[in-house]
Amino acid sequence: MSCNCVVIVREVWDTRDLIGSILDEAGHIKPGALQTRFEPEDLNALEVALRIKDQQGGKITAIAVGAPRGVEVLRECLYRGADAAVQVDADASVLDDRALSVLLAAAVKKTDAPDLVLTGTSVVDGENAMLGAMLAAELAWDHVAWVDAVEAVAGGQAVVKRAIEMGYETVQTPLPSVISIGVALLEDDPRSPRPAKAMLKLKMKKTPIPVLTPAELGVADPAALVTTRVTRRESVPPRVIESRQVDPEDVAALKTMLNEVLKGK
Amino acid sequence: MINDEKVKVDAMVIGGGPAGLSAAYTMASAGLETIVIERGEYAGAKNVGGLLYGTVLNRMIPNFFEKAPIERCVARRELIFLGVGEHMRLSFGAEEWTRPPFNNTFIVHRSQFDRWFAQQVEGAGATLLEGTVAESLVYDGGGDERRVVGVRVRGGEEFFADIVILADGANALVTEQARKDLNLRSGRVKQDYAVGVKEIIALPRGRIEDRFNLESNEGAALDFFGVPFEGIIGGGFLYTARESLHLGFAARIETLARARLSPYEVMERFKAHPVVRSYIASGELLEYSAHMIPEGGYNAVGELTGPGVIIAGDAAGFVNMSLYKEGTNHAMESGRAAGETAIEAKRAGNFSRDALTAYETRIRKTVAWKDLRRFRRVPEVLENCPNLLSLYPRKVNRLLIDFFTVTEASKQENQRQAIRSFLRGLPKFRFVRDIIRARHLA
């Protein structure tokens, strides 16, 4: 049985290799201080969808909210083997998960008979693991989070493996469902997620990507749906622990050091 | 022709740097179906910034400087000798350099500039395949019949073309393999490499202009030699970009190893010199990068064409390591010559080794080649006359300082003393010989 998947993908700040502070005095990210990249867990979600497609066929539609800042996530999906891509024309950086889930639920409903919606669980942007759950609620579908692999999709059910403390559990969930993907199993496979295919790049480089406006999704003003806002960010500098050494035979020095440490010197 | 089964185009270019992009621009403008394979996420991603000589580009894209992202034009150049606690400099500039065509010398951020150039190339009709690594060439036939028919990229996909232009830069893995596979003759001497280290240091625009005494849009290009580079063959540079400084040095890798110095140590020494320190004071380090530069020059250039393949740019060794330090312009000129050769070959329907040797003929007529030839002895002079960049300038520097040191002695006494100490420890015969040899450097 073929299985149609929708993958929600996001472009996020690239927090690797930082030089200097990225926050200004008011606690906002300095413009130009960060590059962006394809959210790695979303990339895993795409890989899971591509594996389902490899095994049993079906269509993969990638959906993203917002205009690309630096990385064209939707085009990257096409280069890796997604069949279609849809861009929702709204500024994701000013929307919270509620507003995003309303827009995305409407966009998912516009795709042709999706069986599964896949996305990354805890994404660098918000680190709150909410989008999958809220999207499921908006669609009135079931939701499983921290999933590392989709093992089978058959008989109106998906069987997924999810990470729990010290192990895994296998969960069965009815179709259609929203599944939030984690990192663990794919991290064990050095070939995952698969790279872009050069041939697809050549063919899809100029393919126009259809755009859906909030109005077409039945939302007049997405910003009006926003309820939660980040008002400030603070960075906590990592604690530096200085080690001290004394000769273990030298009891006097040991005593002095212990005294100093206990007195908090 | 790009369809589901197979991609077969007129030309494939490996490397989206100045050489590859120039080749692609030339071919695509003449209607050849062209694909450029670039391993970086975008053209220029693997590069930082520096000086760009624009004569060749200006011929391809007239008045490019009106459209391209240029940081500043170079209004002033300086040669600075750094002693231990002293320094001397030669500073020169011309008002004319601040007007089009700006003496064809610009300071650019390569990540921005190359991306712009890549857009022009796409505008001319070529297709850029970024984030794709070319792994090897694809051949047809064996032995003497062997010819290049395409490119294999990482992941195993193969793309076919009548001609492949290799412009994969200094660390040219594909070119090296192709040289072996096709038995291409190497240069008369082994290629030597320098390592270039560069830091981008952010400073507010106004402060740069005050500190370097520049009008807006004007820039300064400073070349350094002396104490921080003693014991190695190399020198430093500082270019003023719009809101940052490009500070770095290039040194022959071999000499770094011999002196047991890491590039990092040399950079720290360079930055700690009082002259440099005050230039970069309060700046914020934005980026750090290292790059390889082939600097064997003319004598290290090998055979540049094979059946179905042409080598251009750094991969071919077209870098002038004299005082002029010219690389991008030569890369563009060789890329353009490669493109023109491909166009002719396409018209004649002949991509054989014999047909493509037209590239070598064409190259020999270029300014790049004439300059390479003129400066062919630079590597050897630098190797054999280490005093040129250390002892002699140090002596001259000392002489000037002594001349202008204010003491209670009479000026005449002072001057005599200065000249005596200048001559002390100066190897006279070698000095004369070295000075004569130094003509090969500029």
Side-chain angles (χ1 to χ4, degrees), chain B residues 237-308:
Chain B
F237 56 83
L238 189 160
Y239 307 134
T240 59
R242 201 171 302 137
E243 289 176 341
S244 62
L245 303 176
H246 298 182
L247 181 79
F249 76 95
R252 206 174 292 170
I253 291 174
E254 218 176 79
T255 63
L256 278 170
R258 220 186 294 150
R260 293 176 191 281
L261 277 173
S262 73
Y264 173 77
E265 286 169 294
V266 177
M267 195 66 198
E268 287 306 300
R269 272 207 278 189
F270 181 39
K271 284 167 74 177
H273 194 281
V275 171
V276 179
R277 204 174 52 209
S278 62
Y279 276 148
I280 60 175
S282 79
E284 190 190 348
L285 178 67
L286 288 185
E287 268 181 81
Y288 178 93
S289 76
H291 215 270
M292 270 165 72
I293 309 162
E295 60 165 19
Y298 181 82
N299 290 326
V301 175
E303 205 169 351
L304 298 174
T305 54

Side-chain angles (χ1 to χ4, degrees), chain A residues 17-22 30 32 35 69-71 76 79-80 195-203 205-206, chain B residues 2-7 35 41 122 126-132 153 155 157 159 284-288:
Chain A
D17 308 326
L18 296 184
I19 300 172
S21 167
I22 57 162
K30 281 190 233 168
Q35 304 288 322
R69 290 177 281 205
V71 184
E76 280 294 319
Y79 295 162
R80 284 171 165 81
K197 277 221 171 312
M199 176 70 113
L200 290 175
K201 265 191 203 176
L202 269 185
K203 283 198 290 195
K205 214 171 167 204
K206 306 240 162 70
Chain B
I2 298 174
N3 62 35
D4 279 347
E5 289 81 44
K6 196 176 168 180
V7 171
I35 295 175
E41 280 305 310
E122 288 207 295
T127 307
L128 246 80
L129 209 48
E130 288 138 320
T132 304
V153 300
E157 290 169 274
F159 300 105
E284 190 190 348
L285 178 67
L286 288 185
E287 268 181 81
Y288 178 93

Side-chain angles (χ1 to χ4, degrees), chain B residues 358-387:
Chain B
Y359 171 63
E360 311 230 2
T361 321
R362 206 178 272 274
I363 275 288
R364 282 186 171 71
K365 288 183 196 140
T366 62
V367 173
W369 187 260
K370 285 176 193 155
D371 284 353
L372 270 187
R373 199 177 141 76
R374 158 116 173 75
F375 294 112
R376 68 191 179 281
R377 296 187 61 191
V378 167
E380 126 196 12
V381 171
L382 289 177
E383 179 81 39
N384 295 331
C385 314
N387 286 342

